[in-house]
Amino acid sequence: LGGKESISRMHYAVRRLLKIVCSHFKGVALFIDDLQWSDSATLDLLKSIVLDGEIPSLLIVGAYREDEVPDHHPLAFHIRELERMNASITKIQIGNLSVDFAIPLVA
């Protein structure tokens, strides 16, 4: 198989797996942290999943450090592209924890 065909088959297999898993549960949340470190192939796979309207009850939550994703970053490009394609994207900015909130977490 050629490179593009292999990638297409892998995307299809992952989406098919998610369709099967999600069809057996009332809701599935997929959390992916540190998206700022994702390569273009991973971001393409995520885009393929987001744009697949046949995966039931799937919530994808992606986290990234905004200060590490400038406008020319591949993640920023993919987010803009998904927004242009009318994908449902909700952005929530979360700041750093203050010392007062962090101390009880590590104590």
Side-chain angles (χ1 to χ4, degrees), residues 23-89:
S23 68
H24 286 78
F25 296 98
K26 291 184 180 179
V28 174
L30 175 62
F31 177 74
I32 305 169
D33 197 10
D34 290 328
L35 281 171
Q36 73 273 10
W37 300 115
S38 298
D39 60 6
S40 291
T42 301
L43 295 172
D44 288 341
L45 173 60
L46 285 172
K47 183 172 77 173
S48 172
I49 294 167
V50 168
L51 295 176
D52 188 326
E54 296 181 17
I55 301 175
S57 304
L58 176 64
L59 171 67
I60 299 173
V61 178
Y64 63 94
R65 296 178 186 192
E66 189 174 36
D67 60 332
E68 294 184 26
V69 180
D71 285 341
H72 63 277
H73 192 281
L75 176 59
F77 170 79
H78 275 77
I79 291 171
R80 285 192 304 271
E81 189 174 25
L82 286 168
E83 288 173 335
R84 278 194 297 269
M85 300 172 104
N86 294 321
S88 178
I89 297 176

Side-chain angles (χ1 to χ4, degrees), residues 97 99-107:
L97 286 176
V99 173
D100 292 336
F101 285 114
I103 289 174
L105 295 174
V106 296

Side-chain angles (χ1 to χ4, degrees), residues 1-7 9-10:
L1 296 176
K4 287 186 178 185
E5 189 173 337
S6 294
I7 290 169
R9 284 183 181 214
M10 191 269 300

